[in-house]
């Protein structure tokens, strides 16, 4: 029996997922980052394998409304270090949101949740973050706010016009 049973090109096709952080039901930063990491790795698919990259694309919009519980906005520190002695820099989450936006905080949270291997960088590149609600990937979604996008919407509207005539 073949070991590639069911692992077709269609199974490895990458879907696009939209997450709006401006909706009131958005979970806190950590829970949201873990859900995004699962989608980027492809663990929600039945063909998931740790050594293959079968994850999907994620578009996160409204990142200015990133939400963290407690006093993490003021107390959580992000560090960066150059090779020079005494060059350790620390910034809290609030200053990173002001300087680079909430998308940078979300990317760093998701980066920490992905496995530390050769697939981490290409997986993180499939995460697209935007501060507002506008983004150039609307045509790539199969479903966006409950409606199908692209050619299928036009076909459905033409069928409705023909039925009404």
């Amino acid at each position: 029996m073949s070991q590639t049973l069911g692992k077709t090109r269609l199974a490895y096709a990458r879907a696009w997922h939209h997450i709006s952080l401006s909706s009131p039901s958005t979970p806190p930063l950590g829970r949201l980052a873990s859900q995004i990491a699962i989608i980027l790795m492809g663990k929600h698919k039945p063909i998931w394998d740790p050594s293959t990259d079968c994850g999907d694309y994620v578009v996160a919009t409204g990142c200015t409304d990133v939400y963290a519980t407690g006093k993490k906005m003021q107390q959580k520190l992000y560090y960066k270090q150059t090779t020079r002695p005494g060059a350790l820099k620390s910034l809290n989450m609030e200053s990173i949101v002001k300087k680079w936006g909430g998308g940078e905080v979300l990317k760093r949270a998701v980066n920490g949740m992905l496995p530390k291997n050769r697939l981490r960088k290409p997986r993180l590149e499939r995460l697209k973050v935007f501060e507002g609600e506008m983004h150039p990937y609307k045509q790539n979604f199969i479903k966006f706010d409950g409606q199908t996008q692209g050619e299928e919407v036009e076909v459905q509207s033409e069928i409705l016009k023909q039925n009404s005539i």
Side-chain angles (χ1 to χ4, degrees):
M1 180 155 193
S2 174
Q3 290 182 344
T4 60
L5 182 68
K7 295 186 178 182
T8 62
R9 193 173 301 204
L10 181 62
Y12 281 103
R14 298 189 195 281
W16 288 73
H17 300 269
H18 177 252
I19 297 174
S20 177
L21 276 69
S22 59
S23 68
S25 64
T26 303
L29 177 65
R31 293 176 191 264
L32 179 66
S34 64
Q35 292 173 1
I36 292 173
I38 288 171
I39 293 171
L40 290 174
M41 287 186 285
K43 283 184 122 177
H44 63 289
K45 295 183 177 183
I47 60 159
W48 180 76
D49 182 45
S51 64
T52 59
D53 193 12
C54 58
D56 294 339
Y57 287 89
V58 176
V59 177
T61 58
C63 290
T64 54
D65 301 327
V66 69
Y67 167 66
T69 58
K71 297 181 182 178
K72 290 187 188 85
M73 290 297 272
Q74 294 83 24
Q75 292 179 352
K76 177 157 178 58
L77 297 176
Y78 292 93
Y79 298 100
K80 64 178 182 178
Q81 165 74 339
T82 63
T83 58
R84 310 285 296 181
L88 180 66
K89 305 284 183 191
S90 63
L91 294 169
N92 63 358
M93 188 184 295
E94 194 172 42
S95 63
I96 288 181
V97 169
K98 285 179 187 173
K99 191 171 185 177
W100 291 303
E104 181 66 24
V105 172
L106 182 63
K107 274 188 177 181
R108 289 185 185 199
V110 172
N111 187 26
M113 305 243 176
L114 289 173
K116 284 70 174 172
N117 58 18
R118 64 179 173 81
L119 298 174
R120 181 189 230 183
K121 187 177 176 185
R123 285 174 176 163
L124 198 60
E125 288 173 353
R126 286 198 307 272
L127 173 62
K128 316 292 184 187
V129 293
F130 297 95
E131 298 301 313
E133 292 296 323
M134 298 299 295
H135 59 87
Y137 300 108
K138 288 185 180 177
Q139 294 297 323
N140 297 342
F141 295 127
I142 296 171
K143 286 202 171 193
F144 182 73
D145 289 339
Q147 294 183 356
T148 55
Q149 294 290 313
E151 299 174 5
E152 296 176 17
V153 172
E154 296 171 7
V155 171
Q156 289 175 357
S157 62
E158 288 176 13
I159 291 171
L160 290 174
K161 287 178 187 176
Q162 291 174 356
N163 290 341
S164 64
I165 293 177

